[in-house]
Amino acid sequence: MRDLFDEIYDERKELPKLKKISNEVQKKREYNFYQQLAVCLFIFLFIAGVVMGNLFPACSETSALFSSCTKTEYNLSLTLLCWLFSFVFCSLIYGLGEIIKLLNVIATNTSKDR
C-alpha cells in the first residue's frame, strides 16, 4: 500500500518560474468601450469635483448682525462627495465592461467547441 506522502510526491508540480509569472502579470490588457469610457469619465469627473469645490465655496464665517457669509473657503466636502460619486459610478461602468468581456470570452469558447 502506498503512503500518502508518496502520492503527493508523484502528483506534485513544479512552481512556475518568476519570469513566467511576471510575463503573465505584465501582459497588455485590451479594454473594451465601456472600460475606456469609465476611465475617461473618471478623469473628467475627478477634475469636475475640484472645479465644483471652487464654484460653490463653503462659508467659514458669518456676520452676527446680518446673518450673511463674510468669509468663504474651498468646499472640500463637496469635492470629496463628487469624487466618491464618480468612483462608484465609474466602477459600475467598468464592472459592466468586465462582465461583457467575460461573456464574449465564454461565447467564443463555446462556439469553438461546436
Side-chain angles (χ1 to χ4, degrees):
M1 181 152 215
R2 293 184 57 180
D3 191 14
L4 177 65
F5 293 109
D6 293 332
E7 288 182 32
I8 292 173
Y9 183 75
D10 291 340
E11 293 181 15
R12 74 184 173 112
K13 296 178 183 175
E14 292 295 321
L15 292 174
K17 302 291 184 209
L18 181 62
K19 192 169 267 189
K20 183 177 178 183
I21 293 172
S22 64
N23 287 342
E24 191 76 20
V25 171
Q26 293 175 353
K27 69 181 179 181
K28 188 173 189 231
R29 291 183 49 126
E30 293 184 15
Y31 299 108
N32 60 12
F33 172 74
Y34 291 103
Q35 292 170 330
Q36 292 172 355
L37 176 71
V39 171
C40 293
L41 195 61
F42 180 72
I43 292 170
F44 173 75
L45 290 175
F46 188 85
I47 294 170
V50 174
V51 171
M52 292 287 281
N54 277 328
L55 286 178
F56 302 105
C59 187
S60 60
E61 289 181 11
T62 58
S63 170
L65 186 58
F66 299 112
S67 296
S68 63
C69 191
T70 58
K71 185 177 179 188
T72 60
E73 60 185 22
Y74 182 75
N75 197 346
L76 184 63
S77 61
L78 182 62
T79 301
L80 292 176
L81 190 65
C82 286
W83 287 352
L84 178 69
F85 168 73
S86 65
F87 177 75
V88 170
F89 183 66
C90 292
S91 295
L92 290 174
I93 294 175
Y94 189 87
L96 178 69
E98 192 69 28
I99 290 170
I100 291 172
K101 182 193 287 185
L102 290 174
L103 288 174
N104 284 336
V105 168
I106 290 170
T108 56
N109 287 342
T110 55
S111 66
K112 287 181 183 177
D113 292 341
R114 293 181 184 197

